Amino acid sequence: MNKIFNVIIGVIIATISSCSINTYDPALTTIDVTCYRLPDSMHLVNDSTSMALMLWQDYYSDYYLHNLIDSAISRNLSLHNAILQVNKAESYISRSNGSFLPNVNLSIYQNQMKVSRNPSAYNMHGVGLGISDWEIDMWSRLRNAKKSKIEALMKEQAVMQSVKVKLIADVATLYYRLVGLDAKLKAINEMITMNQHYLHELGSRYPQSLSNKEVSFSTVAVGRSALAIEQAKAELYRSKSLKPRIENDIFITENAINLLLSRSEGEIERIDIEQVVTSNSFNDTIDIGIPAHLISYRPDVIAAEYAVREAFAIKDAASAAMYPRITISGNLATEESLYGSWKDFPTSVVYNLFAGLTQPLFRKKELKHDLRIKEITTHQKVADFKQTLLKACIDVSNVLANYKTNREVIANMAKRYDALFNAYTFSRQLNLTNRADYIDVLVAQGQLLNARMELSDAMIAYYTNRVAIYRVLGGGAML
């Protein structure tokens, strides 16, 4: 018997010594503050002010946009599902708390037996309270299991914030796209009015050419007047052909915003593009760069870090599962037997207490493979974190490059538009006094329309990029 006992003790000691716990090291998820690759002429600044720490209400000053974002946060179904995932993770923590408590059972029993030739019945009854398999968490298996649930909760909260940040950014992006499309539609309508006015002037000057479908080119002047009118018509129809496309884009963009608001339809109130420009819709002072450490506020980076922590906690729990388990069981019962009845209850108390040491032997291979799988998972999560961090840095680098480019493009496009507007005005004045050809007016009109469309597209890209700067730094997550 002593030999068998020594063998069991030796197996337990060998198992404990073979199980090494490689716990989580914070250095695995350290963020490199030099991860940014900045465009030329842009430099990082060591400023403690974080754009990511700004509330979205402070970053966006547009009243109509505030209403849309508020409605999206309260109604969006994807965000609602993310919140439910957080609630589910909280329930898992509550359930893991119960694993520290024993299984307690209450039993009430009645047993009767009658023996032949004996007029009396044999009676046994009682009340029992039992405790079974109360594990003493000596190796922190239960604590690590609970810790993994806590880390999972933190991860889900970060994921929920990531969904919220993306939702806010998507609403703002579509909103400014809608404002930009309104500007394009306004430009088209103005150009159509200008074309109609110019065509009316040509009709007043050359009524014969405008009214007759078949023009007799008796003189050069008549031929040139007919050509001028037809080209003016073509330019008018060109402007009109662009209008339904822009109206369709507006319709689709409004539908996209309504989808984010989890509704099928609804009016999207917004301001005019001129008000956006003059009111400085973004309350920030970003000029030359952003501190690199601000990447740590991104919810996806935070979620990836907690995923690493969760994986290590699960692995530690799997490692502790290979250690022997110490459990306590027992029961306390009252009993009345023989010819007693419930009114005489109780007359005796029975109790026992048992402490057991269980070491897995035949499941050891299964547990070892399970531990190996958990270790591989930790390596995968660390790699996922590094990939997430790398992508975050690239996102910021790209957004800063786009920001720099968009500012330069808009500045030059605005000057180009002003020059073309002046050229169109001069051509009209010269044409009215017969010092410039009609073709000069049409060319100036076409160039002015193209410049107006390109400037509107550049403004959409600029404001989209301003939204992106806030988003890639995790802006709106600190709510």
Side-chain angles (χ1 to χ4, degrees):
M1 181 66 69
N2 291 333
K3 290 183 178 180
I4 297 176
F5 180 77
N6 291 335
V7 170
I8 294 175
I9 294 299
V11 171
I12 293 174
I13 295 174
T15 303
I16 294 175
S17 61
S18 64
C19 296
S20 60
I21 298 180
N22 181 20
T23 56
Y24 168 74
D25 182 2
L28 293 172
T29 53
T30 300
I31 297 177
D32 182 8
V33 297
T34 62
C35 68
Y36 285 86
R37 176 174 176 260
L38 294 175
D40 295 339
S41 77
M42 296 189 73
H43 306 283
L44 295 177
V45 293
N46 294 320
D47 186 3
S48 60
T49 302
S50 169
M51 183 185 296
L53 294 176
M54 293 179 63
L55 298 177
W56 64 263
Q57 295 93 333
D58 296 329
Y59 186 72
Y60 302 113
S61 62
D62 191 308
Y63 169 78
Y64 298 112
L65 180 56
H66 278 198
N67 291 338
L68 290 175
I69 293 176
D70 278 331
S71 181
I73 290 175
S74 63
R75 299 167 58 98
N76 184 262
L77 296 178
S78 296
L79 181 58
H80 179 68
N81 281 336
I83 294 174
L84 291 178
Q85 281 295 115
V86 173
N87 295 337
K88 185 189 296 185
E90 291 175 345
S91 297
Y92 282 133
I93 292 178
S94 299
R95 189 176 71 175
S96 66
N97 289 332
S99 62
F100 291 91
L101 303 175
N103 295 322
V104 180
N105 303 308
L106 176 65
S107 60
I108 301 176
Y109 61 92
Q110 171 76 37
N111 183 19
Q112 287 186 334
M113 180 177 64
K114 188 172 184 179
V115 182
S116 62
R117 300 182 216 172
N118 190 337
S120 300
Y122 180 81
N123 182 17
M124 179 176 287
H125 52 262
V127 178
L129 189 64
I131 297 176
S132 62
D133 298 330
W134 185 8
E135 181 178 349
I136 305 302
D137 194 29
M138 182 174 293
W139 317 113
S140 299
R141 186 184 71 85
L142 300 178
R143 275 174 285 179
N144 281 317
K146 179 181 178 181
K147 182 180 179 182
S148 70
K149 299 298 187 296
I150 295 175
E151 303 295 358
L153 171 62
M154 302 301 292
K155 180 187 68 176
E156 292 298 338
Q157 287 179 338
V159 170
M160 184 267 291
Q161 292 290 2
S162 181
V163 173
K164 185 180 292 186
V165 168
K166 184 178 183 302
L167 175 63
I168 293 172
D170 288 346
V171 172
T173 298
L174 290 173
Y175 176 82
Y176 286 111
R177 171 174 170 76
L178 200 56
V179 171
L181 289 173
D182 286 344
K184 296 178 74 171
L185 183 61
K186 181 180 179 180
I188 288 294
N189 288 330
E190 290 177 355
M191 188 58 63
I192 290 174
T193 301
M194 292 168 59
N195 289 335
Q196 289 174 335
H197 184 68
Y198 180 62
L199 184 61
H200 178 72
E201 288 182 352
L202 289 176
S204 300
R205 293 168 63 182
Y206 312 110
Q208 184 178 2
S209 300
L210 183 63
S211 59
N212 295 337
K213 294 183 179 180
E214 296 182 2
V215 179
S216 176
F217 300 106
S218 56
T219 64
V220 174
V222 173
R224 289 178 63 82
S225 64
L227 180 60
I229 290 172
E230 293 304 313
Q231 287 186 324
K233 288 180 180 180
E235 192 66 25
L236 173 62
Y237 295 140
R238 171 176 174 262
S239 298
K240 287 185 175 182
S241 68
L242 296 175
K243 183 176 180 178
R245 295 179 181 178
I246 296 176
E247 290 175 335
N248 184 65
D249 288 342
I250 291 174
F251 182 82
I252 292 175
T253 304
E254 288 176 336
N255 280 345
I257 294 178
N258 282 324
L259 179 61
L260 294 178
L261 271 57
S262 297
R263 65 187 190 188
S264 60
E265 60 181 352
E267 182 182 0
I268 309 297
E269 295 183 298
R270 62 258 193 191
I271 61 176
D272 190 80
I273 188 67
E274 282 78 11
Q275 293 176 288
V276 174
V277 175
T278 57
S279 63
N280 187 21
S281 293
F282 296 91
N283 294 332
D284 65 281
T285 56
I286 176 173
D287 290 319
I288 59 174
I290 304 171
H293 73 273
L294 299 185
I295 202 77
S296 62
Y297 293 109
R298 281 179 58 122
D300 57 340
V301 174
I302 296 174
E305 179 180 354
Y306 280 116
V308 174
R309 294 173 179 265
E310 178 190 10
F312 269 93
I314 293 175
K315 181 193 71 65
D316 291 346
S319 179
M322 301 183 66
Y323 296 176
R325 295 189 183 184
I326 299 176
T327 58
I328 296 177
S329 299
N331 60 72
L332 176 67
T334 60
E335 184 178 285
E336 177 62 35
S337 59
L338 297 179
Y339 300 99
S341 60
W342 280 96
K343 65 181 181 179
D344 301 322
F345 177 80
T347 60
S348 62
V349 176
V350 179
Y351 64 89
N352 64 61
L353 183 65
F354 174 77
L357 183 66
T358 305
Q359 169 62 35
L361 295 177
F362 297 104
R363 293 185 63 239
K364 187 176 179 181
K365 190 172 184 179
E366 176 187 345
L367 294 176
K368 278 189 175 181
H369 282 295
D370 184 62
L371 177 59
R372 177 58 181 162
I373 292 172
K374 299 299 189 295
E375 289 175 343
I376 293 173
T377 302
T378 60
H379 294 304
Q380 289 177 324
K381 295 302 180 181
V382 171
D384 289 343
F385 171 79
K386 293 181 179 179
Q387 180 66 23
T388 301
L389 181 60
L390 179 61
K391 181 180 180 300
C393 292
I394 295 298
D395 285 345
V396 175
S397 180
N398 290 342
V399 167
L400 290 177
N402 290 336
Y403 171 73
K404 175 178 178 293
T405 300
N406 287 337
R407 292 183 65 181
E408 295 175 355
V409 168
I410 286 181
N412 290 314
M413 279 190 171
K415 294 177 181 178
R416 176 173 178 263
Y417 175 78
D418 290 340
L420 289 175
F421 184 82
N422 292 335
Y424 170 74
T425 302
F426 296 158
S427 66
R428 288 289 307 275
Q429 293 174 350
L430 292 174
N431 179 255
L432 291 175
T433 57
N434 295 321
R435 287 181 293 173
D437 197 72
Y438 69 92
I439 196 66
D440 296 325
V441 178
L442 295 177
V443 169
Q445 278 186 349
Q447 290 179 336
L448 184 61
L449 177 60
N450 291 336
R452 186 79 174 267
M453 295 295 101
E454 291 173 359
L455 182 59
S456 296
D457 288 335
M459 292 297 295
I460 293 175
Y462 174 76
Y463 285 108
T464 299
N465 185 248
R466 297 307 296 269
V467 173
I469 289 177
Y470 188 54
R471 176 184 58 80
V472 299
L473 293 175
M478 312 298 291
L479 299 176

